[in-house]
């Protein structure tokens, strides 16, 4: 009976590991699971460093503090939310775009609708940094 060579088995195991680990990594990286995870991670990390921006959609307005947003023929600027009051600056673009008209909306009337120029809003949420308004109705005058 022959005694197996210990160095031979060690060499075979080393070759299998040296070739097997890179093959397993390439196989994992090319899989759909890894690609989806990587895509989600890149999307989250690229959005994380961007500051929040004010935006207008078809049925909602998101206002970030001290950013101007144009809705129809008006411009809204969210100023503050203190003492259960939401403070906005309204700029009428047809009349005088530089003149700010100060609006104060009670936060307790969040369910009630209010008119600003030709658009009817309701308050969705408010904090110190942002304000969300739902657009309920909008009409255009000739």
């Amino acid at each position: 009976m022959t005694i197996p060579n210990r160095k031979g088995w060690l060499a075979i195991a080393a070759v299998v590991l040296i070739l097997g680990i890179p093959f397993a990594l390439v196989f994992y990286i090319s899989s759909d699971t890894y690609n989806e995870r990587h895509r989600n991670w890149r999307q989250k990390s690229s959005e994380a460093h961007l500051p929040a921006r004010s935006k207008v959609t078809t049925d909602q307005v998101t206002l970030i503090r001290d950013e101007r947003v144009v809705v129809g023929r008006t411009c809204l600027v969210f100023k503050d939310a203190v003492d259960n009051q939401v403070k906005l600056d309204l700029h009428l673009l047809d009349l005088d775009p530089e003149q700010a008209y100060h609006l104060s909306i009670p936060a307790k009337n969040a369910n009630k609708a209010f008119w600003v120029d030709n658009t009817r809003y309701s308050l969705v949420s408010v904090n110190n940094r942002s304000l969300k308004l739902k657009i309920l109705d909008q009409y255009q005058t000739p």
Side-chain angles (χ1 to χ4, degrees), residues 52-86:
R53 301 289 311 204
S54 297
K55 63 181 176 181
V56 178
T57 60
T58 56
D59 64 340
Q60 190 169 345
V61 178
T62 303
L63 298 166
I64 304 300
R65 175 180 255 164
D66 295 326
E67 283 190 21
R68 295 174 66 121
V69 173
V70 176
V71 180
R73 297 184 314 205
T74 62
C75 180
L76 297 171
V77 181
F78 172 56
K79 286 299 183 181
D80 204 3
V82 292
D83 300 330
N84 291 328
Q85 295 283 322
V86 177

Side-chain angles (χ1 to χ4, degrees), residues 88-115:
L88 295 170
D89 280 352
L90 171 67
H91 299 266
L92 298 173
L93 301 178
D94 290 342
L95 186 61
D96 185 7
E98 297 303 318
Q99 175 64 40
Y101 298 96
H102 305 293
L103 296 175
S104 183
I105 302 163
K108 64 182 178 182
N109 294 342
N111 296 334
K112 295 182 181 177
F114 59 93
W115 287 94

